Amino acid sequence: METLYDDTDDERQEKRGCFECCIKCLGGVPYASLVATILCFCGVALFCGCGHVALTGTLTILENHFSKITADHAMLTDIIQLMQYVIYGIASFFFLYGIILLAEGFYTTSAVKELHSEFKTTVCGRCISGMFVFLTYILGIAWLGVFGFSAVPVFLFYNMWSTCAAMRSPMANLTSIDSICVDVRQYGIIPWNATPGKACGSTLGDICNTSEFYLSYHLYIVACAGAGATVIALLIYMMATTYNFAVLKFKSREDCCTKF
């Protein structure tokens, strides 16, 4: 009976040790950086994927209905292709940057959790943490601009969609549908000499009923939401990296004071 009791006691101690080890490991997880990384990946994926397809659909709509001469929208075509290549770069950069920030979060969180142990911070580590704080602030400001820019096509498509909805509404009581037009030249998308440049009446209604218009409109909305999610993720990164850097700096001063 003593042997059984000893084995049971050893098992309990082993389970307690495993439980304490798991709690310690979970305590070192940077939950803020983890949530920010997941949100950043989702936001960038939505923005890049939906934005790429929406730009292609927008170019198709312009070529088929608003600018049938290729020379009139040649510059716009080049700009859209350039933006699509930029989207590839943004997706690749933020995939790597998110992983690096998550790894930096694990490092700084371990340092913060072990303030009163033998853990020592280095000048190089503090410099790297400070660099990530600065870079994250810059990217956050840049993504605020991207978020605002991504709302522009949503506004343009919404104007066209609301005009089509007004034509179809039985409460409109319109005498001449052909007098209702949408001129995309006034937005500066295509030059003023582009033909036809605008769509009126039934032609405008046909454009709103196309799959390209419906898909592009909703993809722009999702892309805008993805940009907003990325901004929120960068804000979380800012708070987490700033707090961890401040604690690391305080820890370094404490280490210098204890040496003397």
Side-chain angles (χ1 to χ4, degrees):
M1 293 297 293
E2 290 184 2
T3 304
L4 291 176
Y5 179 80
D6 292 340
D7 292 340
T8 303
D9 188 53
D10 291 339
E11 289 178 358
R12 288 178 179 176
Q13 292 180 357
E14 183 178 355
K15 290 180 179 179
R16 184 180 300 174
C18 293
F19 178 75
E20 292 177 354
C21 182
C22 291
I23 294 298
K24 185 177 180 180
C25 291
L26 291 175
V29 175
Y31 293 102
S33 297
L34 184 62
V35 171
T37 302
I38 296 174
L39 189 60
C40 182
F41 283 172
C42 293
V44 171
L46 289 176
F47 174 78
C48 294
C50 296
H52 185 279
V53 178
L55 287 172
T56 304
T58 302
L59 185 59
T60 302
I61 293 173
L62 291 174
E63 290 177 345
N64 294 337
H65 304 284
F66 293 99
S67 180
K68 297 184 178 180
I69 300 176
T70 306
D72 292 339
H73 59 269
M75 182 179 293
L76 179 64
T77 303
D78 295 336
I79 293 175
I80 288 179
Q81 290 178 352
L82 178 63
M83 291 176 66
Q84 289 176 334
Y85 285 119
V86 170
I87 284 175
Y88 296 145
I90 290 175
S92 303
F93 172 78
F94 271 90
F95 177 76
L96 295 176
Y97 189 70
I99 294 177
I100 293 173
L101 276 185
L102 183 61
E104 195 267 346
F106 272 101
Y107 163 75
T108 53
T109 302
S110 298
V112 171
K113 295 294 184 181
E114 301 180 19
L115 282 176
H116 302 289
S117 66
E118 296 179 357
F119 190 94
K120 301 295 181 182
T121 61
T122 61
V123 176
C124 181
R126 293 192 299 272
C127 290
I128 293 175
S129 297
M131 181 192 67
F132 280 125
V133 171
F134 175 76
L135 185 57
T136 305
Y137 269 85
I138 297 299
L139 290 174
I141 295 173
W143 268 96
L144 282 175
V146 172
F147 176 66
F149 178 77
S150 62
V152 173
V154 177
F155 172 74
L156 299 180
F157 272 78
Y158 174 76
N159 283 342
M160 189 179 298
W161 175 82
S162 60
T163 303
C164 294
M167 288 192 305
R168 292 192 298 264
S169 175
M171 303 296 294
N173 194 16
L174 299 173
T175 57
S176 178
I177 298 180
D178 293 334
S179 62
I180 300 178
C181 302
V182 171
D183 193 343
V184 297
R185 295 174 296 184
Q186 63 181 341
Y187 300 116
I189 300 175
I190 56 177
W192 281 104
N193 58 354
T195 55
K198 62 180 181 179
C200 302
S202 59
T203 304
L204 179 60
D206 293 337
I207 295 173
C208 293
N209 291 329
T210 58
S211 59
E212 290 86 2
F213 177 84
Y214 182 84
L215 182 63
S216 298
Y217 178 38
H218 289 84
L219 286 178
Y220 277 126
I221 295 175
V222 177
C224 184
T230 306
V231 171
I232 296 174
L234 289 173
L235 289 176
I236 298 174
Y237 275 136
M238 288 180 198
M239 292 185 289
T241 53
T242 303
Y243 171 77
N244 290 334
F245 176 73
V247 175
L248 287 177
K249 193 173 182 179
F250 174 78
K251 173 62 176 175
S252 65
R253 291 178 179 178
E254 188 181 63
D255 291 339
C256 292
C257 293
T258 54
K259 290 180 181 179
F260 295 102

